[in-house]
Amino acid sequence: MKTVLFSMFGLGVAGLANAQTVIEYVNTNDFPRAPGGQYFYSADAGEQAYVDSGAAGAFKRTGGGFVAGGAKPLCRFYGSVNPGPNSHFYTIDSAECNALKAAQLTPKPSATQQWNYESDGFKATPPVSGQCPVGTVAVFRSYNNAFFGGAKNAWDSNHRFASRRADVDYLVNRHKWNDEGIQFCAVAEYAKEAIPAASSVAQRCDDDNHKAWLRAFTDERYLWYNEVPQLAAQTFATPLAYYDDLKSWVRVDAGAAAGAYRDRFHFSQSTEAYLQSSQGISSAGYGMRYVLLSSTAPRRAVVVYVEPLGPAAQAGVARGMEIQNIDGARLSDGNATVLNAGLSPKAVGERHTFVFSDPATGQTISTTLLAANVQNSPVHTVKTLATDSGKVGYVLFNAFNYPSEGALAAAFTHLRAENVSDLVLDMRYNGGGLIYIAAELAHMIAGDTKRGQRFATLQYNDKRNQDTQPFPYDSTASGFSGTGTTSGAALPTLNLNRVFIITGTGTASASELLVNGLRGVDITVHLIGTQTVGKPYGFSPTDNCGTTYSSIEFVSNNAKGEADFVDGFAPTCKVTADDYSKQLGDALEGRLAATLAYRAAGQCPANAGQQTELSKRRLITRDELDSPDGLREPTETFIGNINVPKSN
């Protein structure tokens, strides 16, 4: 392995004090165990040339750094290749510098790790009471916790010195470094290397150009482009690995979402998968949605619903059934690899044998399911419920995708003919989708009195003010291809001044946008269920080289300018239980029953928050996804997104 030994290069460091531009390097190849990589800084042109040549190892410029300058030089220390630390350290603090120098004067065994003074380095300005003087730029220091709680980790001590908080947030929140605050003050941030226009490198699919496109696309379109860390693209094995880190790593600091990442919704998928999902097609599946009541042993999984035309429905699988066995492996404690292979088939035509138990009958069903491309029903169930105070329409609505336009129009035409006086819109499993559909659905609920009013406004980053886009209540169909609707055709309306919406822990994005948009024009929205996810953000899915990238591009607000629902929407009537013992649309099913009771009495039923054994549902976490013993939920159960299609 090549190692950094700049003190032995013979270049000398005396000239560093007068050099001003400090270049930042990172090396992940020669330090594979170091979280986030190993960083080095140099203001000496000769030393920079040596590092750039590769003679010091696989150090790459991150594109970051700062312009040094001030009255006081930093002390520069280096450890050793062995026993280490194989790293450099800089400090402007005289006490810290003198203490490290003094430690060298005491004889120690050769195997002792210590910092060895090299010279004075570049100059900077010390902070005063933890703050930098006006006209200077704060430089922050973070530490990789090689020593933590007295124990030595499997990597050498290393520090990053960054003039951008984004770089600190990345290491602290992504790689578990420690934030050591402002260490000194520089003249200015380092001028970033030029980023080409995304259009100039689009669809050039070698790794270098693909990564260059990702960086440019992010810089141009990402809502929080100023919070994206400086990363050396060459240190990432693939464009997808690079993209995964190319986002904001800021954590929300207040509210119910405190501690969560601001951007929890950054993702990519194959363009083929994106095109299928936008048409409501689940590839290589069974048409069966389930939740994990426990993802680690003893595991439990229950079926939430099945698609009418899918293999699971044809085999007699129904809501409320529990999965007991897959291909001979018990779900409770069997081999996770076998179980995941059955739960998430990779290809159409795969066969897997399932055993289900039915709590309603006490019987079991053993069946072989054949994975297929399943056409999902975005409008799964439409019913008219008779009550003492008039007819109530019920719609189980699961996705704001292209096919939903025609399905919603048909559902509302039916409910209008039934002369319903209220609507229950069940979106407990709806993760979002197209804004166009949300604006149309809002009109179908509210009717002509809101025609032309603003449903939502999309606000982009400050480079894209010209893209700010209002969405009115849309009274006509968009006519998306294959949806059975005609562009410009009038949409049916119920002309309601209130709506009851059933929510769940996966209700997100365009579903929340609908709530916010209706409230923006004073439609009363009663939420029955749980707190929603909290995603006022969206994107325009964009293809490059066969992968579709969904980077957050805008925040949406309603006609009142309200966009603050990063914590999600609190339910009007909290119903924690998801009652799997009843079919969706059954008036006795827990959340629907609570909705009808709330509608009748104007208050939440006393027992609404109670849980049954089968209703103790929680969403699987990312940590559980990474667990060697954890099961994966199918991809369609993850939180969806508001998005704007590239075209109709």
Side-chain angles (χ1 to χ4, degrees):
M1 177 187 293
K2 294 180 180 178
T3 52
V4 50
L5 276 172
F6 297 134
S7 56
M8 300 182 184
F9 286 172
L11 297 175
V13 292
L16 286 177
N18 296 320
Q20 295 299 299
T21 301
V22 180
I23 302 299
E24 179 183 70
Y25 295 87
V26 68
N27 185 340
T28 58
N29 185 63
D30 297 330
F31 300 87
R33 292 184 294 182
Q38 198 87 342
Y39 289 84
F40 172 70
Y41 299 84
S42 176
D44 181 88
E47 191 170 58
Q48 291 166 11
Y50 190 91
V51 178
D52 290 334
S53 74
F59 281 87
K60 306 295 181 183
R61 295 190 181 209
T62 67
F66 45 87
V67 178
K72 187 174 182 178
L74 277 72
C75 296
R76 169 170 157 158
F77 293 85
Y78 174 67
S80 63
V81 176
N82 185 28
N86 188 2
S87 177
H88 283 77
F89 175 69
Y90 308 81
T91 180
I92 201 170
D93 186 294
S94 297
E96 189 172 46
C97 177
N98 291 334
L100 291 176
K101 286 180 178 178
Q104 296 179 251
L105 301 178
T106 303
K108 294 182 178 180
S110 60
T112 299
Q113 298 194 60
Q114 68 174 11
W115 293 112
N116 302 294
Y117 176 71
E118 286 190 334
S119 70
D120 285 349
F122 52 83
K123 292 183 177 181
T125 300
V128 178
S129 299
Q131 300 297 319
C132 284
V134 174
T136 63
V137 172
V139 176
F140 305 90
R141 188 171 79 190
S142 49
Y143 173 56
N144 71 354
N145 288 315
F147 283 89
F148 187 76
K152 175 70 173 74
N153 281 309
W155 54 85
D156 278 324
S157 291
N158 187 241
H159 299 78
R160 187 176 191 180
F161 297 84
S163 58
R164 300 175 67 248
R165 279 298 316 179
D167 298 334
V168 177
D169 291 332
Y170 171 69
L171 289 180
V172 170
N173 294 328
R174 172 71 173 86
H175 292 293
K176 313 305 181 187
W177 286 40
N178 188 47
D179 182 359
E180 297 187 333
I182 297 173
Q183 293 302 305
F184 55 85
C185 311
V187 174
E189 289 185 15
Y190 175 55
K192 290 191 300 184
E193 296 176 5
I195 298 175
S199 59
S200 69
V201 285
Q203 306 303 337
R204 295 166 62 178
C205 299
D206 60 281
D207 277 5
D208 287 346
N209 277 307
H210 197 158
K211 290 175 182 175
W213 179 86
L214 286 169
R215 186 68 188 93
F217 173 75
T218 301
D219 189 65
E220 291 170 7
R221 305 186 68 86
Y222 189 55
L223 181 62
W224 303 293
Y225 69 92
N226 279 325
E227 296 179 4
V228 175
Q230 292 285 354
L231 302 172
Q234 310 97 305
T235 64
F236 290 84
T238 65
L240 286 180
Y242 181 49
Y243 175 74
D244 285 345
D245 281 10
L246 206 61
K247 66 170 193 171
S248 169
W249 289 92
V250 171
R251 289 189 185 273
V252 179
D253 59 6
Y261 292 118
R262 188 202 305 280
D263 188 353
R264 296 171 281 156
F265 312 103
H266 186 80
F267 79 103
S268 63
Q269 59 190 139
S270 73
T271 297
E272 179 183 8
Y274 164 70
L275 293 174
Q276 285 189 327
S277 65
S278 66
Q279 294 295 338
I281 298 173
S282 294
S283 59
Y286 311 118
M288 174 181 70
R289 178 163 179 163
Y290 63 90
V291 293
L292 294 168
L293 303 180
S294 175
S295 60
T296 54
R299 312 181 191 99
R300 292 183 70 191
V302 62
V303 176
V304 171
Y305 65 80
V306 295
E307 293 295 342
L309 302 178
Q314 294 171 14
V317 180
R319 174 180 171 86
M321 291 185 177
E322 287 200 63
I323 302 172
Q324 298 294 334
N325 190 291
I326 304 174
D327 292 334
R330 291 191 306 184
L331 188 114
S332 63
D333 57 3
N335 183 282
T337 300
V338 174
L339 294 169
N340 276 321
L343 290 170
S344 302
K346 301 298 183 184
V348 170
E350 279 190 32
R351 294 177 181 272
H352 296 278
T353 300
F354 284 72
V355 176
F356 298 90
S357 63
D358 187 349
T361 64
Q363 297 179 337
T364 59
I365 297 175
S366 179
T367 183
T368 297
L369 298 180
L370 183 68
N373 289 336
V374 180
Q375 180 66 60
N376 299 321
S377 302
V379 179
H380 187 280
T381 304
V382 180
K383 297 184 72 173
T384 302
L385 306 172
T387 73
D388 293 340
S389 55
K391 294 180 179 179
V392 176
Y394 171 86
V395 177
L396 174 59
F397 180 43
N398 291 333
F400 291 80
N401 56 24
Y402 291 121
S404 69
E405 183 177 60
L408 285 169
F412 276 74
T413 297
H414 170 73
L415 295 177
R416 183 180 178 90
E418 288 287 302
N419 197 30
V420 299
S421 58
D422 268 315
L423 174 67
V424 177
L425 185 65
D426 192 340
M427 297 198 297
R428 73 184 79 184
Y429 307 127
N430 194 321
L434 300 170
I435 293 177
Y436 295 93
I437 302 299
E440 292 176 9
L441 177 55
H443 171 77
M444 285 188 262
I445 292 168
D448 294 335
T449 61
K450 307 301 181 184
R451 180 181 296 183
Q453 294 192 45
R454 183 162 61 89
F455 171 66
T457 297
L458 312 185
Q459 294 181 321
Y460 295 80
N461 69 41
D462 57 9
K463 298 178 181 181
R464 302 177 61 191
N465 290 330
Q466 73 281 2
D467 293 335
T468 296
Q469 186 177 5
F471 275 77
Y473 275 76
D474 203 340
S475 61
T476 61
S478 297
F480 294 118
S481 176
T483 67
T485 57
T486 302
S487 178
L491 294 169
T493 64
L494 297 183
N495 297 308
L496 301 174
N497 57 21
R498 69 176 184 178
V499 63
F500 299 85
I501 295 178
I502 297 177
T503 62
T505 53
T507 303
S509 206
S511 296
E512 295 170 304
L513 183 71
L514 177 68
V515 174
N516 203 45
L518 289 169
R519 288 178 171 173
V521 293
D522 297 320
I523 299 296
T524 300
V525 181
H526 298 292
L527 303 181
I528 314 296
T530 66
Q531 188 96 1
T532 63
V533 169
K535 183 178 176 293
Y537 314 114
F539 43 74
S540 296
T542 302
D543 167 80
N544 192 66
C545 299
T547 298
T548 291
Y549 296 96
S550 296
S551 291
I552 297 297
E553 296 184 44
F554 58 81
V555 61
S556 64
N557 58 52
N558 64 17
K560 296 179 180 179
E562 297 165 335
D564 187 15
F565 52 93
V566 295
D567 289 337
F569 289 114
T572 314
C573 173
K574 185 176 182 180
V575 185
T576 307
D578 199 356
D579 181 7
Y580 305 120
S581 69
K582 302 291 190 300
Q583 296 304 302
L584 295 166
D586 186 327
L588 298 179
E589 184 274 323
R591 288 183 184 169
L592 179 53
T595 303
L596 295 174
Y598 183 88
R599 173 183 175 270
Q603 62 184 18
C604 197
N607 63 348
Q610 294 180 358
Q611 291 183 315
T612 62
E613 178 63 23
L614 269 183
S615 68
K616 295 177 182 176
R617 178 198 171 184
R618 57 181 174 74
L619 288 181
I620 191 170
T621 67
R622 290 289 175 182
D623 288 340
E624 289 172 331
L625 282 173
D626 295 335
S627 168
D629 189 45
L631 295 188
R632 297 189 301 268
E633 290 200 53
T635 55
E636 61 265 29
T637 68
F638 289 136
I639 295 166
N641 299 277
I642 302 173
N643 60 80
V644 179
K646 298 298 287 183
S647 66
N648 290 357

